[in-house]
Amino acid sequence: MVQSSLLEPLPSRKRVSVLLPLPFPCALDYAVPQSLADSLAPGDVVVVPLGGRRETGVVWEQTVLPVDLAPPPPPEIAASRLRPIKERLDLPPLSAELRQFIDWVAAYTLAPPGMVLAMALRSHLRGEQTAAAVGWVRIGEPPESLRMTPARRAVLDALPQGAAPVTMAELTEKAGVGVSVVRGLADAGVLKSMLMGPVSPFAEPDPFHNPPVLEGDQATAATELRARVDERAFSATLLEGVTGSGKTEIYLEAVAECLAQGRQALVLLPEIALSAQWMDRFARRFGVRPAVWHSEIGQKARRLTWAACEDGSAKVIVGARSALFMSFRDLGLVIVDEEHEAVFKQEEGVTYNARDMAVVRARLAKAPIVLASATPSLETLNNVETGRYRHLVLTARHGGAAMPETHLIDMRENPPPRGLFLSPVLVEAVKTRLGRGEQAMLFLNRRGYAPLTLCRTCGHRMECPHCTSWLVEHRKKHVLACHYCEHTEPVPHACPTCGAEDSLTAIGPGIERITEEARSEFPDARIMVMASDTISGPAATAEAVGKISRREVDLIIGTQIVAKGWHFPHLTLVGVVDADLGLGGADLRAGERTMQLLHQVAGRAGRAEAPGEVLLQSFTPEHPVMQALVSGDFAAFMAEEADQRKPGFWPPFGRLAALIVSSENADAADNAARQLGVSAPHGNGIEVLGPVPAPIAVLRGRHRRRLLLRTHRNIAVQPILRRWLGQVTFTSTVRVDVDVDPISFM
Ligand code: ADP
Ligand code: ZN
């Protein structure tokens, strides 16, 4: 690994590479003006000319990547054609570690490195607008070896020891010198830049504030994780345990150890906006709330958080995927909670899996990473199996709470009345719980009233004009909505095809329809509906959760947001309306995902003294997923999954990369896909499936075709993809998206 020290400027260079946050294939070369010749260092934020514009970028330097990942070197440009850097901005430089991480993610995902940089810079650059983002202070006397020029003397006189920080502009004006003099003194260890602005709003979490009492395998696991943190070296550990076994409690012990060392910890949660209870929990343990990072925190909080993370004053950052691209002063621990969650995969822009890239980041930071889950992904289990990851297991729920009993309702034997969706068995069970003053939950992972609207006269189906999808009726809003794009339209009175009036019928249930049914079955119950479109944002979620905890709600009806790690002590019954829902389709992980989701939903029941029960409505009760949910034997289920994937070299026993070809013009998409098909790579352990129309063949008006590259595990897909894509030229209307390790096959 090439490490460039931030303190040592490059030996008087005439040219440097600058990475711009733009979709170019590589960094661009620029000439270094005389004024910066002795002080410019990799990581510095600079302004450069690009065409007629000014762009902000970062001085880059080739990092050493694994052979398979390394992109080909860019073409040399003659020195005479280079344009000079305009200026260096007064911002903290990007650390070598973060720069290497950016290169790594770009190389792995085949995204333009500038687009990965853009994710890291998004907040960094905002600091620019606050004039006094960085201040300079004196930290020492000049060493003997430093030649004391009049200019340097003037700076030292202007900034005595102990003086308050001043900006670069103030300092250079007061001393009557150029920027490079100040930089030179900083490089010699006499001055130092620091972030100014308001005092950090992030109080330090206290690792000794309120530690839990740990016994048995909790104690063992906590000791192990503390030891990993103490090693100050990379390691990866799977922390596995049923819901309620204390995984969170235990990984917070690792955070405590990291805090005791004065280092920083990064915790990635799958749905940060839904994590109000988690934040409270953290505050109970450490006395203060952590710094939070996700797309919905405001501009100002963003800037402060970024700066506090950069200067090390924010000790614990809890964030969504994007927190991976923050700049840490001293990262000592990474946690990924619910590591199996598909939301860690970003599907737009740079397509990356935050769980996997978190492992890379931890490795580069020489820090341990902990992956926590009740139902770990097959990928992670395989990494345990092959010895790459360590494994800690918590076997029982804390405090002796029992795991809920899971039972199947065979919908063929106990069907609901015509036009309804709740089996009499489920209705009775809910009534019993409500009668005892306990809470119940109905889960259906589908928003809206009905997923399909059909004309009874001619059979016409209401479809999205821009996508290959049915429109979902949202009865409360009186619209039909596409769940793949923003299209909505009023529910028509007459069939648009045959003109028949009052002939359109809602087919199948969404949670609005289940709510309607529940209101008539349980007229006295206080019902709360929880879906991403009825409860949006952290505040509304926290309020809803508060109501449930205070028992102001009897029956909760929700989509997958109710599955998140909520602790509802009075909830004793979970009814899953359609347990088979996720099992259709072409997704190789359909079984695994359904099992994970339903187990997580089930885990909401019986978290306190009263035992919980889970009822699964299914038309395929013999399915291995249903059987695993009843028996609770996930290890056996996952072993079977593994056996099914092994022979075909499906992940994690082989590697996948998808190419999604799309165009507004169907023929253009077909042509491009065909060309890719013709030049598809082949060889031992290399195979290409497709091209085929994507399951969502039209999305937002773009026609989509898919190709899937599958290789044996010991063959990296990146060089193959680079060569393949390099052979084909596409017309400008065609876009090819690369998805390495795809988890969506739509
Ligand atoms: P998981 O993350 O595995 O679902 P949690 O860490 O959320 O489990 O623990 C479940 C519940 O039990 C939480 O309310 C937690 O505070 C409590 N708990 C777990 N372990 C302990 C412990 N050692 N002492 C006190 N409370 C605990
Ligand atoms: Zn649509």
Side-chain angles (χ1 to χ4, degrees):
M1 186 169 28
V2 172
Q3 283 283 1
S4 72
S5 160
L6 293 175
L7 295 175
E8 284 168 44
L10 298 173
S12 224
R13 279 206 194 170
K14 296 216 162 60
R15 67 195 286 164
V16 291
S17 294
V18 175
L19 186 61
L20 299 174
L22 297 168
F24 299 139
C26 57
L28 306 179
D29 281 359
Y30 283 90
V32 179
Q34 197 52 47
S35 58
L36 292 175
D38 293 326
S39 63
L40 206 60
D44 281 351
V45 182
V46 293
V47 175
V48 296
L50 182 76
R53 301 193 310 248
R54 289 162 60 91
E55 289 288 346
T56 303
V58 176
V59 176
W60 219 248
E61 137 198 275
Q62 196 64 46
T63 45
V64 177
L65 295 169
V67 183
D68 286 337
L69 294 185
E76 260 305 293
I77 295 170
S80 57
R81 288 179 46 211
L82 296 181
R83 299 174 70 186
I85 287 174
K86 284 193 180 300
E87 62 171 314
R88 172 169 51 191
L89 296 178
D90 234 354
L91 289 169
L94 246 62
S95 69
E97 180 205 312
L98 182 54
R99 281 181 279 125
Q100 195 177 22
F101 181 60
I102 289 167
D103 276 340
W104 225 103
V105 173
Y108 190 87
T109 61
L110 266 74
M115 298 317 284
V116 184
L117 174 69
M119 298 196 285
L121 280 189
R122 211 161 283 149
S123 312
H124 196 43
L125 291 183
R126 299 245 167 79
E128 237 183 303
Q129 293 142 14
T130 50
V134 174
W136 294 83
V137 286
R138 178 85 167 267
I139 51 170
E141 288 304 321
E144 301 274 337
S145 57
L146 192 73
R147 202 161 51 81
M148 198 36 63
T149 60
R152 283 179 173 154
R153 176 52 53 204
V155 173
L156 294 182
D157 290 344
L159 192 61
Q161 292 262 24
V166 293
T167 64
M168 180 64 97
E170 284 165 356
L171 186 55
T172 48
E173 200 197 64
K174 196 164 165 203
V177 300
V179 170
S180 61
V181 182
V182 178
R183 292 278 176 185
L185 285 167
D187 295 336
V190 185
L191 305 180
K192 161 182 139 147
S193 66
M194 54 179 289
L195 284 157
M196 304 207 307
V199 182
S200 166
F202 301 104
E204 277 213 22
D206 173 5
F208 308 105
H209 178 74
N210 185 16
V213 179
L214 303 177
E215 284 166 6
D217 51 14
Q218 281 196 343
T220 315
T223 307
E224 277 289 318
L225 290 185
R226 283 178 177 274
R228 297 288 80 72
V229 174
D230 284 339
E231 275 171 1
R232 293 171 174 258
F234 171 73
S235 63
T237 305
L238 166 62
L239 176 61
E240 182 179 1
V242 294
T243 49
S245 59
K247 293 184 296 299
T248 313
E249 209 67 50
I250 299 308
Y251 72 63
L252 289 181
E253 290 314 287
V255 171
E257 185 69 23
C258 183
L259 286 168
Q261 292 184 357
R263 309 182 75 197
Q264 292 172 289
L266 166 65
V267 183
L268 295 184
L269 300 180
E271 220 124 349
I272 183 86
L274 305 179
S275 307
Q277 280 188 333
W278 195 99
M279 302 300 159
D280 293 344
R281 180 93 180 267
F282 184 95
R284 274 203 302 282
R285 174 64 183 83
F286 295 113
V288 298
R289 297 171 86 79
V292 178
W293 184 264
H294 58 85
S295 56
E296 283 164 44
I297 64 173
Q299 284 269 349
K300 183 161 172 239
R302 227 179 151 70
R303 204 168 53 230
L304 286 177
T305 308
W306 203 95
C309 186
E310 204 277 337
D311 75 6
S313 58
K315 291 297 181 204
V316 181
I317 302 279
V318 180
R321 312 179 280 242
S322 55
L324 263 185
F325 294 91
M326 297 183 78
S327 185
F328 291 86
R329 181 52 49 110
D330 188 11
L331 184 58
L333 172 68
V334 181
I335 311 266
V336 181
D337 200 359
E338 309 289 4
E339 68 86 28
H340 61 276
E341 279 274 358
V343 295
F344 282 122
K345 181 71 185 276
Q346 172 156 306
E347 302 279 2
E348 269 158 32
V350 179
T351 309
Y352 70 98
N353 189 321
R355 188 233 2 239
D356 299 341
M357 292 305 118
V359 176
V360 173
R361 178 102 210 222
R363 192 188 289 280
L364 294 176
K366 302 185 180 67
I369 180 167
V370 179
L371 307 173
S373 175
T375 50
S377 62
L378 197 53
E379 279 73 8
T380 296
L381 288 173
N382 186 249
N383 281 326
V384 167
E385 189 114 316
T386 52
R388 280 185 287 264
Y389 293 1
R390 294 162 185 265
H391 197 191
L392 296 172
V393 184
L394 304 177
T395 46
R397 278 192 157 179
H398 173 74
M403 282 305 286
E405 289 232 5
T406 303
H407 301 288
L408 288 159
I409 299 176
D410 187 335
M411 294 295 271
R412 297 165 306 193
E413 282 173 17
N414 294 292
R418 228 182 118 72
L420 298 180
F421 302 93
L422 301 179
S423 156
V425 181
L426 181 53
V427 171
E428 268 321 299
V430 172
K431 280 185 179 153
T432 308
R433 298 284 168 172
L434 298 184
R436 283 194 224 148
E438 295 168 12
Q439 287 172 329
M441 174 189 279
L442 294 175
F443 171 78
L444 175 62
N445 200 9
R446 196 189 272 136
R447 292 182 288 121
Y449 186 83
L452 170 62
T453 302
L454 181 84
C455 172
R456 257 177 296 138
T457 311
C458 74
H460 174 79
R461 295 164 174 209
M462 298 298 293
E463 287 179 13
C464 177
H466 316 293
C467 305
T468 312
S469 75
W470 295 339
L471 292 174
V472 179
E473 182 184 354
H474 287 249
R475 191 158 283 191
K476 261 178 138 169
K477 293 183 192 147
H478 308 288
V479 294
L480 297 171
C482 175
H483 282 188
Y484 294 96
C485 74
E486 287 74 47
H487 176 82
T488 59
E489 56 187 73
V491 186
H493 186 61
C495 171
T497 305
C498 72
E501 297 208 355
D502 296 322
S503 178
L504 292 172
T505 319
I507 307 289
I511 58 164
E512 274 186 28
R513 197 167 193 177
I514 296 302
T515 306
E516 184 181 275
E517 191 172 332
R519 284 198 205 287
S520 85
E521 292 284 5
F522 322 111
D524 302 326
R526 293 164 300 173
I527 294 178
M528 154 96 68
V529 180
M530 288 181 82
S532 57
D533 55 346
T534 59
I535 296 191
S536 58
T541 314
E543 193 192 315
V545 170
K547 275 189 170 160
I548 297 168
S549 301
R550 294 191 301 271
R551 300 180 96 154
E552 293 163 22
V553 171
D554 304 308
L555 180 61
I556 304 148
I557 300 176
T559 60
Q560 42 101 16
I561 80 167
V562 301
K564 305 301 157 199
W566 312 117
H567 182 61
F568 296 140
H570 312 294
L571 178 70
T572 58
L573 176 71
V574 169
V576 175
V577 176
D578 184 356
D580 311 324
L581 184 59
L583 291 175
D587 187 340
L588 89 107
R589 297 182 185 87
E592 180 188 340
R593 287 237 208 117
T594 302
M595 190 275 290
Q596 287 160 341
L597 175 64
L598 295 185
H599 177 67
Q600 204 164 2
V601 179
R604 296 317 106 212
R607 288 177 65 102
E609 306 77 48
E613 183 183 15
V614 179
L615 293 174
L616 307 172
Q617 296 198 140
S618 171
F619 285 93
T620 58
E622 64 288 343
H623 194 287
V625 169
M626 302 307 142
Q627 292 302 319
L629 286 162
V630 170
S631 70
D633 193 350
F634 302 117
F637 174 81
M638 292 304 273
E640 213 165 287
E641 277 283 312
D643 286 342
Q644 285 183 13
R645 289 193 214 168
K646 245 177 233 162
F649 296 96
W650 293 103
F653 308 103
R655 298 178 187 278
L656 288 184
L659 295 183
I660 301 111
V661 180
S662 69
S663 171
E664 285 176 9
N665 179 316
D667 288 339
D670 277 329
N671 272 331
R674 210 174 306 121
Q675 276 190 64
L676 280 168
V678 169
S679 53
H682 42 77
N684 208 356
I686 302 171
E687 192 184 356
V688 171
L689 312 173
V692 291
I696 303 180
V698 186
L699 181 65
R700 297 168 188 273
R702 296 183 73 87
H703 297 263
R704 305 166 75 241
R705 308 289 180 260
R706 294 184 68 105
L707 296 105
L708 193 62
L709 168 66
R710 184 173 55 182
T711 68
H712 289 189
R713 199 185 153 110
N714 59 351
I715 303 176
V717 294
Q718 288 81 4
I720 301 175
L721 289 168
R722 278 206 187 87
R723 241 176 289 131
W724 187 9
L725 291 167
Q727 281 168 16
V728 186
T729 41
F730 305 102
T731 56
S732 60
T733 62
V734 171
R735 197 173 79 211
V736 179
D737 293 311
V738 181
D739 185 355
V740 175
D741 305 333
I743 60 169
S744 161
F745 297 88
M746 296 308 276

